[in-house]
Protein backbone atom coordinates (compact mmCIF):
# COMPACT_ATOMS: atom_id res chain seq x y z
CA UNK A 1 0.00 0.00 0.00
CA UNK A 2 1.30 3.46 -0.87
CA UNK A 3 1.37 6.04 1.91
CA UNK A 4 1.75 9.62 0.69
CA UNK A 5 3.76 12.09 2.73
CA UNK A 6 1.95 13.90 5.56
CA UNK A 7 2.71 17.24 3.90
CA UNK A 8 0.64 16.31 0.83
CA UNK A 9 -2.88 17.74 0.73
CA UNK A 10 -5.76 15.34 0.38
CA UNK A 11 -8.07 15.80 -2.56
CA UNK A 12 -10.79 17.21 -0.33
CA UNK A 13 -8.41 19.72 1.24
CA UNK A 14 -7.31 20.82 -2.21
CA UNK A 15 -10.90 21.30 -3.33
CA UNK A 16 -12.03 23.44 -0.39
CA UNK A 17 -8.60 25.11 0.01
CA UNK A 18 -7.17 25.22 3.49
CA UNK A 19 -10.20 23.56 5.04
CA UNK A 20 -10.62 23.92 8.80
CA UNK A 21 -12.55 21.85 11.35
CA UNK A 22 -16.30 22.46 11.58
CA UNK A 23 -15.97 23.43 15.25
CA UNK A 24 -13.45 26.12 14.37
CA UNK A 25 -15.67 27.37 11.54
CA UNK A 26 -18.65 27.54 13.92
CA UNK A 27 -16.59 29.39 16.52
CA UNK A 28 -15.42 31.88 13.92
CA UNK A 29 -18.99 32.42 12.75
CA UNK A 30 -20.17 32.93 16.32
CA UNK A 31 -17.44 35.51 16.94
CA UNK A 32 -18.25 37.20 13.66
CA UNK A 33 -21.94 37.38 14.57
CA UNK A 34 -21.16 38.83 18.01
CA UNK A 35 -18.91 41.45 16.44
CA UNK A 36 -21.57 42.38 13.88
CA UNK A 37 -24.20 42.62 16.63
CA UNK A 38 -21.90 44.80 18.76
CA UNK A 39 -21.24 47.11 15.80
CA UNK A 40 -24.97 47.33 15.08
CA UNK A 41 -25.66 48.10 18.74
CA UNK A 42 -23.14 50.96 18.82
CA UNK A 43 -24.54 52.55 15.67
CA UNK A 44 -28.11 52.32 16.91
CA UNK A 45 -27.15 53.72 20.32
CA UNK A 46 -25.72 56.79 18.59
CA UNK A 47 -29.01 57.20 16.73
CA UNK A 48 -30.98 56.73 19.96
CA UNK A 49 -28.88 59.35 21.73
CA UNK A 50 -29.50 61.85 18.94
CA UNK A 51 -33.25 61.24 19.07
CA UNK A 52 -33.24 61.52 22.87
CA UNK A 53 -31.43 64.86 22.69
CA UNK A 54 -34.07 66.29 20.36
CA UNK A 55 -36.98 64.72 22.28
CA UNK A 56 -35.52 65.97 25.57
CA UNK A 57 -35.49 69.55 24.35
CA UNK A 58 -39.17 69.38 23.46
CA UNK A 59 -40.05 67.90 26.87
CA UNK A 60 -38.00 70.51 28.70
CA UNK A 61 -39.79 73.24 26.78
CA UNK A 62 -43.17 71.68 27.60
CA UNK A 63 -42.50 71.35 31.33
CA UNK A 64 -41.19 74.91 31.55
CA UNK A 65 -44.29 76.17 29.75
CA UNK A 66 -46.64 73.99 31.85
CA UNK A 67 -45.31 75.11 35.26
CA UNK A 68 -46.85 78.37 36.35
CA UNK A 69 -44.36 78.89 39.16
CA UNK A 70 -40.84 80.12 38.53
CA UNK A 71 -39.42 77.55 40.94
CA UNK A 72 -41.15 74.76 39.00
CA UNK A 73 -39.70 76.06 35.75
CA UNK A 74 -36.20 76.07 37.25
CA UNK A 75 -36.57 72.51 38.56
CA UNK A 76 -37.88 71.28 35.21
CA UNK A 77 -34.97 72.95 33.47
CA UNK A 78 -32.41 71.42 35.88
CA UNK A 79 -33.83 67.91 35.58
CA UNK A 80 -33.95 68.15 31.79
CA UNK A 81 -30.44 69.58 31.67
CA UNK A 82 -29.08 66.67 33.71
CA UNK A 83 -30.72 64.14 31.39
CA UNK A 84 -29.53 65.99 28.26
CA UNK A 85 -25.98 66.21 29.59
CA UNK A 86 -25.91 62.52 30.44
CA UNK A 87 -27.30 61.64 27.01
CA UNK A 88 -24.65 63.80 25.34
CA UNK A 89 -21.90 62.02 27.30
CA UNK A 90 -23.26 58.60 26.22
CA UNK A 91 -23.38 59.79 22.61
CA UNK A 92 -19.74 60.81 22.82
CA UNK A 93 -18.73 57.51 24.45
CA UNK A 94 -20.30 55.58 21.54
CA UNK A 95 -17.54 56.97 19.33
CA UNK A 96 -14.71 55.84 21.60
CA UNK A 97 -13.04 52.46 22.05
CA UNK A 98 -14.68 52.12 25.47
CA UNK A 99 -18.12 52.56 23.96
CA UNK A 100 -17.39 50.05 21.19
CA UNK A 101 -16.13 47.56 23.77
CA UNK A 102 -18.95 47.99 26.31
CA UNK A 103 -22.02 49.14 24.34
CA UNK A 104 -24.40 47.38 26.74
CA UNK A 105 -23.31 49.75 29.53
CA UNK A 106 -24.16 52.74 27.35
CA UNK A 107 -27.51 51.13 26.58
CA UNK A 108 -28.33 50.85 30.28
CA UNK A 109 -27.00 54.32 30.98
CA UNK A 110 -29.23 55.91 28.32
CA UNK A 111 -32.24 54.03 29.64
CA UNK A 112 -31.70 54.73 33.33
CA UNK A 113 -30.80 58.37 32.72
CA UNK A 114 -34.43 58.82 31.68
CA UNK A 115 -36.24 56.29 33.87
CA UNK A 116 -34.27 56.15 37.11
CA UNK A 117 -32.59 59.56 37.13
CA UNK A 118 -35.83 61.42 36.51
CA UNK A 119 -37.63 59.34 39.16
CA UNK A 120 -34.87 60.05 41.72
CA UNK A 121 -34.78 63.77 40.91
CA UNK A 122 -38.55 64.13 41.25
CA UNK A 123 -38.50 62.20 44.53
CA UNK A 124 -35.76 64.39 46.02
CA UNK A 125 -37.10 67.71 44.72
CA UNK A 126 -40.84 67.27 45.10
CA UNK A 127 -41.15 64.27 47.46
CA UNK A 128 -43.31 62.71 44.74
CA UNK A 129 -43.07 58.96 44.21
CA UNK A 130 -45.80 58.49 41.67
CA UNK A 131 -44.38 55.96 39.11
CA UNK A 132 -43.41 57.74 35.89
CA UNK A 133 -45.01 55.02 33.79
CA UNK A 134 -45.49 57.18 30.70
CA UNK A 135 -41.80 58.05 30.58
CA UNK A 136 -40.77 54.45 31.27
CA UNK A 137 -43.04 53.06 28.56
CA UNK A 138 -41.80 55.61 26.03
CA UNK A 139 -38.20 54.73 26.84
CA UNK A 140 -38.66 50.97 26.58
CA UNK A 141 -40.61 51.16 23.32
CA UNK A 142 -38.00 53.52 21.88
CA UNK A 143 -35.15 51.16 22.69
CA UNK A 144 -37.03 48.09 21.47
CA UNK A 145 -37.68 49.87 18.17
CA UNK A 146 -34.30 51.50 17.58
CA UNK A 147 -31.98 48.99 19.31
CA UNK A 148 -33.63 45.57 18.76
CA UNK A 149 -30.66 43.43 19.85
CA UNK A 150 -29.63 41.65 23.05
CA UNK A 151 -33.04 41.16 24.62
CA UNK A 152 -31.33 40.40 27.94
CA UNK A 153 -30.17 43.98 28.46
CA UNK A 154 -33.68 45.24 27.58
CA UNK A 155 -35.02 43.04 30.39
CA UNK A 156 -32.25 44.20 32.71
CA UNK A 157 -33.06 47.85 31.97
CA UNK A 158 -36.72 47.27 32.81
CA UNK A 159 -35.98 45.32 36.00
CA UNK A 160 -33.46 47.96 37.08
CA UNK A 161 -36.08 50.68 36.67
CA UNK A 162 -38.58 48.79 38.82
CA UNK A 163 -35.95 48.02 41.49
CA UNK A 164 -34.96 51.69 41.63
CA UNK A 165 -38.58 52.72 42.14
CA UNK A 166 -39.16 50.09 44.83
CA UNK A 167 -36.07 51.20 46.75
CA UNK A 168 -37.27 54.81 46.68
CA UNK A 169 -40.73 53.68 47.73
CA UNK A 170 -39.35 51.78 50.72
CA UNK A 171 -37.16 54.71 51.72
CA UNK A 172 -39.92 57.32 51.53
CA UNK A 173 -42.99 55.15 52.32
CA UNK A 174 -45.46 57.65 50.79
CA UNK A 175 -49.21 57.41 50.95
CA UNK A 176 -50.95 56.43 47.74
CA UNK A 177 -52.84 59.23 45.99
CA UNK A 178 -54.89 56.93 43.75
CA UNK A 179 -57.00 53.87 44.27
CA UNK A 180 -55.44 50.42 44.22
CA UNK A 181 -57.40 49.62 41.04
CA UNK A 182 -55.64 52.51 39.29
CA UNK A 183 -52.19 51.17 40.18
CA UNK A 184 -53.16 47.62 39.19
CA UNK A 185 -54.37 48.88 35.82
CA UNK A 186 -51.24 50.93 35.23
CA UNK A 187 -49.11 48.02 36.38
CA UNK A 188 -50.78 45.65 33.91
CA UNK A 189 -50.27 48.07 31.05
CA UNK A 190 -46.65 48.54 32.03
CA UNK A 191 -46.10 44.80 32.52
CA UNK A 192 -47.41 43.87 29.09
CA UNK A 193 -45.53 46.73 27.48
CA UNK A 194 -42.29 45.32 28.92
CA UNK A 195 -43.15 41.77 27.91
CA UNK A 196 -44.03 42.77 24.36
CA UNK A 197 -40.87 44.89 24.01
CA UNK A 198 -38.56 42.12 25.24
CA UNK A 199 -40.31 39.42 23.23
CA UNK A 200 -40.24 41.48 20.03
CA UNK A 201 -36.50 42.12 20.49
CA UNK A 202 -35.96 38.39 21.10
CA UNK A 203 -37.85 37.44 17.91
CA UNK A 204 -36.08 40.09 15.85
CA UNK A 205 -32.65 39.04 17.05
CA UNK A 206 -33.46 35.39 16.45
CA UNK A 207 -34.46 36.23 12.88
CA UNK A 208 -31.33 38.32 12.33
CA UNK A 209 -29.16 35.49 13.65
CA UNK A 210 -30.75 32.99 11.28
CA UNK A 211 -30.29 35.38 8.38
CA UNK A 212 -26.65 35.96 9.34
CA UNK A 213 -25.82 32.25 9.46
CA UNK A 214 -27.76 31.60 6.24
CA UNK A 215 -25.83 34.37 4.49
CA UNK A 216 -22.51 33.09 5.80
CA UNK A 217 -23.40 29.55 4.76
CA UNK A 218 -24.14 30.85 1.28
CA UNK A 219 -20.82 32.72 1.20
CA UNK A 220 -18.94 29.60 2.29
CA UNK A 221 -20.76 27.57 -0.36
CA UNK A 222 -19.86 30.16 -2.99
CA UNK A 223 -16.22 30.10 -1.89
CA UNK A 224 -16.15 26.32 -2.10
CA UNK A 225 -17.80 26.43 -5.52
CA UNK A 226 -15.22 28.95 -6.70
CA UNK A 227 -12.39 26.82 -5.34
CA UNK A 228 -13.81 23.83 -7.19
CA UNK A 229 -13.94 25.95 -10.33
CA UNK A 230 -10.35 27.11 -9.81
CA UNK A 231 -9.31 23.46 -9.60
CA UNK A 232 -10.81 22.96 -13.05
CA UNK A 233 -10.00 26.23 -14.83
CA UNK A 234 -7.23 28.83 -14.59
CA UNK A 235 -8.05 31.85 -12.44
CA UNK A 236 -8.10 34.26 -15.39
CA UNK A 237 -10.58 32.04 -17.22
CA UNK A 238 -12.82 31.83 -14.14
CA UNK A 239 -12.92 35.64 -14.02
CA UNK A 240 -13.80 35.78 -17.73
CA UNK A 241 -16.61 33.28 -17.20
CA UNK A 242 -18.04 35.49 -14.48
CA UNK A 243 -18.03 38.55 -16.70
CA UNK A 244 -19.09 37.12 -20.04
CA UNK A 245 -21.22 34.26 -21.33
CA UNK A 246 -19.75 34.01 -24.81
CA UNK A 247 -17.28 31.38 -26.00
CA UNK A 248 -13.85 31.84 -24.46
CA UNK A 249 -11.04 31.25 -26.93
CA UNK A 250 -7.59 32.85 -27.30
CA UNK A 251 -4.57 32.45 -29.54
CA UNK A 252 -1.05 32.34 -28.12
CA UNK A 253 1.96 32.68 -30.40
CA UNK A 254 4.50 31.00 -28.16
CA UNK A 255 3.82 28.55 -25.37
CA UNK A 256 5.58 25.40 -24.27
CA UNK A 257 3.55 22.23 -23.82
CA UNK A 258 4.53 19.20 -21.74
CA UNK A 259 3.17 15.67 -21.87
CA UNK A 260 4.27 13.08 -19.33
CA UNK A 261 3.38 9.40 -19.18
CA UNK A 262 4.13 6.79 -16.52
CA UNK A 263 5.84 3.90 -18.28
CA UNK A 264 4.27 0.49 -17.66
CA UNK A 265 1.32 1.83 -15.70
CA UNK A 266 -1.24 0.13 -17.94
CA UNK A 267 0.38 -3.25 -17.28
CA UNK A 268 0.50 -2.47 -13.55
CA UNK A 269 -3.26 -1.78 -13.52
CA UNK A 270 -4.00 -5.39 -14.47
CA UNK A 271 -2.36 -6.78 -11.32
CA UNK A 272 -3.01 -4.07 -8.74
CA UNK A 273 -6.16 -3.57 -6.64
CA UNK A 274 -8.20 -0.56 -7.86
CA UNK A 275 -7.96 1.40 -4.59
CA UNK A 276 -4.21 1.02 -4.38
CA UNK A 277 -3.83 1.86 -8.08
CA UNK A 278 -5.80 5.10 -7.80
CA UNK A 279 -4.01 6.07 -4.59
CA UNK A 280 -0.68 5.46 -6.29
CA UNK A 281 -1.55 7.56 -9.34
CA UNK A 282 -3.05 10.32 -7.22
CA UNK A 283 0.08 10.55 -5.09
CA UNK A 284 2.34 10.93 -8.12
CA UNK A 285 0.07 13.47 -9.84
CA UNK A 286 -0.22 15.49 -6.61
CA UNK A 287 3.57 15.76 -6.66
CA UNK A 288 3.35 17.00 -10.25
CA UNK A 289 0.65 19.52 -9.26
CA UNK A 290 2.94 20.94 -6.58
CA UNK A 291 5.75 21.27 -9.11
CA UNK A 292 3.44 23.02 -11.58
CA UNK A 293 2.46 25.54 -8.92
CA UNK A 294 6.09 26.06 -7.93
CA UNK A 295 7.24 26.75 -11.50
CA UNK A 296 4.25 28.84 -12.56
CA UNK A 297 3.03 26.20 -14.98
CA UNK A 298 -0.64 25.66 -15.77
CA UNK A 299 -1.88 22.10 -15.45
CA UNK A 300 -4.33 21.37 -18.26
CA UNK A 301 -5.55 17.84 -17.58
CA UNK A 302 -4.74 14.21 -16.91
CA UNK A 303 -5.68 11.47 -19.35
CA UNK A 304 -5.40 8.09 -17.72
CA UNK A 305 -1.80 7.94 -16.56
CA UNK A 306 -0.74 10.88 -18.79
CA UNK A 307 -0.19 14.39 -17.46
CA UNK A 308 -0.46 17.55 -19.58
CA UNK A 309 0.76 21.03 -18.62
CA UNK A 310 1.66 24.28 -20.38
CA UNK A 311 3.67 27.42 -19.68
CA UNK A 312 2.91 30.80 -21.26
CA UNK A 313 -0.86 30.86 -20.88
CA UNK A 314 -3.38 32.05 -19.91
CA UNK A 315 -0.95 34.67 -18.57
CA UNK A 316 1.60 35.33 -21.28
CA UNK A 317 5.21 34.67 -20.32
CA UNK A 318 8.53 35.71 -21.86
CA UNK A 319 10.25 32.42 -21.04
CA UNK A 320 7.77 29.52 -21.03
CA UNK A 321 10.34 26.97 -22.23
CA UNK A 322 12.66 27.22 -19.18
CA UNK A 323 9.68 26.92 -16.82
CA UNK A 324 8.58 23.67 -18.47
CA UNK A 325 12.18 22.39 -18.66
CA UNK A 326 12.72 22.99 -14.96
CA UNK A 327 9.45 21.29 -14.13
CA UNK A 328 10.29 18.29 -16.32
CA UNK A 329 13.66 17.81 -14.59
CA UNK A 330 12.00 18.13 -11.18
CA UNK A 331 9.36 15.60 -12.22
CA UNK A 332 12.12 13.08 -12.89
CA UNK A 333 13.64 13.78 -9.48
CA UNK A 334 10.25 13.55 -7.79
CA UNK A 335 9.58 10.13 -9.33
CA UNK A 336 13.05 8.93 -8.32
CA UNK A 337 12.45 10.06 -4.73
CA UNK A 338 9.01 8.46 -4.76
CA UNK A 339 10.48 5.14 -5.95
CA UNK A 340 13.10 5.21 -3.21
CA UNK A 341 10.58 5.97 -0.45
CA UNK A 342 7.96 3.47 -1.63
CA UNK A 343 10.14 0.66 -3.04
CA UNK A 344 8.86 1.19 -6.60
CA UNK A 345 10.57 1.30 -9.99
CA UNK A 346 8.51 3.77 -12.00
CA UNK A 347 9.89 5.79 -14.89
CA UNK A 348 8.24 8.62 -16.77
CA UNK A 349 8.49 9.57 -20.41
CA UNK A 350 8.22 13.31 -21.10
CA UNK A 351 7.74 15.22 -24.35
CA UNK A 352 8.07 18.98 -24.82
CA UNK A 353 7.18 21.26 -27.72
CA UNK A 354 7.11 25.04 -28.22
CA UNK A 355 4.93 27.04 -30.60
CA UNK A 356 1.50 28.62 -31.15
CA UNK A 357 -1.72 27.18 -29.75
CA UNK A 358 -5.40 28.00 -29.45
CA UNK A 359 -6.85 27.71 -25.94
CA UNK A 360 -10.44 27.86 -24.77
CA UNK A 361 -13.27 26.42 -22.73
CA UNK A 362 -15.50 23.79 -24.30
CA UNK A 363 -18.62 21.95 -23.23
CA UNK A 364 -21.70 22.65 -21.10
CA UNK A 365 -21.29 19.79 -18.64
CA UNK A 366 -17.95 18.87 -17.12
CA UNK A 367 -16.46 21.65 -19.24
CA UNK A 368 -12.70 21.93 -19.52
CA UNK A 369 -9.97 24.36 -20.53
CA UNK A 370 -8.05 22.75 -23.38
CA UNK A 371 -5.44 23.43 -26.09
CA UNK A 372 -5.37 22.79 -29.80
CA UNK A 373 -2.78 23.06 -32.56
CA UNK A 374 0.35 21.44 -34.00
CA UNK A 375 2.33 22.37 -30.90
CA UNK A 376 0.06 20.16 -28.78
CA UNK A 377 0.25 17.30 -31.27
CA UNK A 378 4.04 17.53 -31.49
CA UNK A 379 4.41 17.55 -27.70
CA UNK A 380 2.24 14.44 -27.54
CA UNK A 381 4.40 12.75 -30.22
CA UNK A 382 7.59 13.79 -28.40
CA UNK A 383 6.28 11.89 -25.41
CA UNK A 384 4.86 8.84 -27.18
CA UNK A 385 8.01 8.45 -29.37
CA UNK A 386 10.33 9.22 -26.49
CA UNK A 387 12.55 7.06 -24.33
CA UNK A 388 11.49 5.82 -20.91
CA UNK A 389 13.10 7.95 -18.22
CA UNK A 390 14.05 10.70 -20.70
CA UNK A 391 12.77 14.15 -21.70
CA UNK A 392 12.47 14.59 -25.44
CA UNK A 393 12.11 18.08 -26.95
CA UNK A 394 11.52 19.36 -30.47
CA UNK A 395 13.75 21.72 -32.46
CA UNK A 396 11.83 24.86 -31.42
CA UNK A 397 12.22 24.07 -27.75
CA UNK A 398 15.87 23.15 -28.25
CA UNK A 399 16.65 26.58 -29.68
CA UNK A 400 15.19 28.25 -26.57
CA UNK A 401 16.95 25.95 -24.11
CA UNK A 402 20.36 25.21 -25.61
CA UNK A 403 22.19 28.11 -23.96
CA UNK A 404 21.28 27.19 -20.38
CA UNK A 405 20.61 23.46 -20.50
CA UNK A 406 22.54 20.39 -21.51
CA UNK A 407 20.71 18.66 -24.37
CA UNK A 408 21.77 15.59 -26.29
CA UNK A 409 20.94 15.23 -29.96
CA UNK A 410 18.83 12.14 -30.55
CA UNK A 411 18.28 12.50 -34.28
CA UNK A 412 15.38 12.40 -36.70
CA UNK A 413 12.13 10.66 -35.84
CA UNK A 414 9.04 10.33 -37.98
CA UNK A 415 6.04 12.33 -36.73
CA UNK A 416 2.59 11.56 -38.12
CA UNK A 417 1.43 14.44 -40.30
CA UNK A 418 4.76 16.29 -39.97
CA UNK A 419 7.30 13.91 -41.47
CA UNK A 420 10.77 13.58 -39.97
CA UNK A 421 11.70 15.93 -37.14
CA UNK A 422 14.96 16.53 -35.31
CA UNK A 423 14.68 15.77 -31.60
CA UNK A 424 16.83 16.27 -28.52
CA UNK A 425 17.01 14.82 -25.03
CA UNK A 426 17.05 17.27 -22.12
CA UNK A 427 19.63 16.20 -19.55
CA UNK A 428 20.16 18.91 -16.99
CA UNK A 429 20.46 22.62 -16.38
CA UNK A 430 23.93 24.14 -16.69
CA UNK A 431 23.21 27.84 -16.03
CA UNK A 432 20.78 28.78 -13.29
CA UNK A 433 18.13 31.32 -14.26
Amino acid sequence: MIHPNNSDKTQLDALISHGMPHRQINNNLAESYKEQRRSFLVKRLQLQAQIMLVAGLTLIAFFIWENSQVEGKIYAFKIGLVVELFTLICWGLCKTSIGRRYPHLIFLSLCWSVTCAVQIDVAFLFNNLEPRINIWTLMFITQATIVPVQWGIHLLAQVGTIVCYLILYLLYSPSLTHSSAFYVEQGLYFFWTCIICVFSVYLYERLRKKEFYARKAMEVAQQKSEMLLLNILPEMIVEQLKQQHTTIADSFLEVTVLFADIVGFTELSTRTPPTELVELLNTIFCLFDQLAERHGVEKIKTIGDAYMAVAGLPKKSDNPAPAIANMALDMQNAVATFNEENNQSFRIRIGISTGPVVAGVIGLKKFAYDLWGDTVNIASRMESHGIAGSIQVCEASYQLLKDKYLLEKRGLIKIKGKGEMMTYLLKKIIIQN
Side-chain angles (χ1 to χ4, degrees):
M1 179 66 69
I2 305 301
H3 299 284
N5 295 334
N6 292 334
S7 59
D8 296 341
K9 291 183 179 179
T10 65
Q11 287 177 308
L12 181 60
D13 288 337
L15 292 178
I16 64 176
S17 180
H18 309 295
M20 58 179 63
H22 291 295
R23 181 178 299 177
Q24 184 177 349
I25 292 175
N26 291 336
N27 290 340
N28 290 343
L29 285 176
E31 288 299 321
S32 179
Y33 174 72
K34 290 179 181 178
E35 183 60 34
Q36 185 193 66
R37 186 175 60 175
R38 185 182 297 111
S39 176
F40 175 82
L41 179 57
V42 171
K43 291 179 181 178
R44 288 302 182 91
L45 285 174
Q46 293 182 40
L47 176 61
Q48 180 189 344
Q50 295 170 4
I51 294 174
M52 286 176 61
L53 287 171
V54 176
L57 292 175
T58 62
L59 291 173
I60 291 173
F62 171 76
F63 288 128
I64 292 176
W65 174 76
E66 181 188 37
N67 283 282
S68 57
Q69 299 179 355
V70 176
E71 185 178 2
K73 294 179 184 292
I74 294 175
Y75 284 149
F77 177 76
K78 287 182 177 180
I79 294 173
L81 185 62
V82 170
V83 174
E84 290 289 279
L85 182 61
F86 206 82
T87 303
L88 191 61
I89 293 173
C90 289
W91 184 23
L93 285 175
C94 287
K95 301 180 180 181
T96 66
S97 58
I98 296 176
R100 288 189 290 270
R101 185 176 298 178
Y102 306 107
H104 53 285
L105 296 181
I106 296 178
F107 178 96
L108 295 174
S109 299
L110 282 172
C111 179
W112 290 340
S113 67
V114 173
T115 59
C116 297
V118 171
Q119 187 75 53
I120 293 171
D121 289 341
V122 171
F124 285 163
L125 295 175
F126 304 107
N127 197 29
N128 185 338
L129 278 178
E130 285 295 319
R132 325 302 293 184
I133 291 179
N134 290 340
I135 296 178
W136 299 348
T137 301
L138 178 62
M139 188 69 230
F140 298 151
I141 292 177
T142 299
Q143 288 193 315
T145 304
I146 299 177
V147 196
V149 290
Q150 294 190 350
W151 64 270
I153 60 173
H154 286 263
L155 181 60
L156 180 60
Q158 296 165 8
V159 171
T161 299
I162 299 300
V163 170
C164 175
Y165 174 76
L166 292 176
I167 292 174
L168 290 173
Y169 186 87
L170 293 174
L171 290 175
Y172 281 81
S173 301
S175 59
L176 300 178
T177 58
H178 297 282
S179 65
S180 59
F182 172 81
Y183 291 106
V184 170
E185 180 184 0
Q186 294 299 311
L188 284 174
Y189 280 124
F190 179 68
F191 171 78
W192 282 111
T193 298
C194 293
I195 292 297
I196 291 171
C197 287
V198 172
F199 190 58
S200 65
V201 171
Y202 167 77
L203 292 178
Y204 178 81
E205 187 169 25
R206 186 179 178 183
L207 177 62
R208 285 293 300 269
K209 188 173 184 179
K210 287 183 177 180
E211 289 177 348
F212 174 84
Y213 279 96
R215 185 170 64 253
K216 287 298 181 181
M218 184 177 296
E219 290 176 2
V220 171
Q222 289 175 345
Q223 291 174 358
K224 289 184 178 181
S225 297
E226 186 162 343
M227 289 309 304
L228 285 170
L229 200 57
L230 288 172
N231 275 274
I232 299 172
L233 303 174
E235 184 176 358
M236 286 182 60
I237 302 303
V238 172
E239 294 300 321
Q240 290 183 37
L241 283 174
K242 292 179 181 178
Q243 299 172 9
Q244 67 185 62
H245 300 284
T246 57
T247 301
I248 295 178
D250 297 290
S251 296
F252 297 88
L253 295 179
E254 185 176 291
V255 302
T256 300
V257 181
L258 173 148
F259 275 89
D261 183 76
I262 301 175
V263 179
F265 192 84
T266 302
E267 180 185 353
L268 178 66
S269 64
T270 61
R271 49 186 173 82
T272 305
T275 302
E276 183 177 347
L277 185 73
V278 172
E279 184 179 354
L280 172 66
L281 189 62
N282 178 63
T283 302
I284 296 174
F285 280 178
C286 283
L287 294 174
F288 293 171
D289 287 347
Q290 293 173 2
L291 292 176
E293 186 174 354
R294 181 190 306 170
H295 293 289
V297 171
E298 191 69 43
K299 172 187 175 181
I300 299 301
K301 60 184 175 181
T302 60
I303 309 169
D305 60 332
Y307 189 95
M308 178 183 178
V310 61
L313 63 78
K315 291 183 180 180
K316 295 183 179 180
S317 173
D318 295 332
N319 54 352
I324 285 291
N326 292 337
M327 178 176 172
L329 292 170
D330 284 348
M331 289 169 73
Q332 286 186 327
N333 294 333
V335 170
T337 302
F338 176 84
N339 287 337
E340 183 178 349
E341 292 178 351
N342 295 278
N343 194 28
Q344 298 289 338
S345 58
F346 291 112
R347 291 183 297 169
I348 57 171
R349 188 171 53 233
I350 300 175
I352 296 174
S353 176
T354 301
V357 298
V358 174
V361 178
I362 58 172
L364 293 176
K365 294 183 178 181
K366 297 183 181 179
F367 50 82
Y369 184 69
D370 211 344
L371 311 179
W372 300 271
D374 279 345
T375 302
V376 178
N377 295 333
I378 292 171
S380 178
R381 295 293 186 271
M382 289 295 106
E383 179 273 312
S384 60
H385 291 73
I387 302 172
S390 298
I391 305 169
Q392 184 165 250
V393 305
C394 68
E395 179 70 30
S397 299
Y398 168 77
Q399 294 299 329
L400 296 172
L401 299 173
K402 63 181 181 179
D403 295 332
K404 296 183 179 181
Y405 296 82
L406 176 63
L407 295 106
E408 177 184 304
K409 184 176 181 180
R410 184 189 179 191
L412 296 172
I413 63 172
K414 190 173 182 179
I415 301 297
K416 182 180 180 181
K418 301 295 292 183
E420 291 187 338
M421 295 186 67
M422 183 62 68
T423 61
Y424 302 83
L425 300 179
L426 175 64
K427 295 297 184 180
K428 64 180 181 177
I429 186 172
I430 55 177
I431 299 178
Q432 295 291 337
N433 293 330

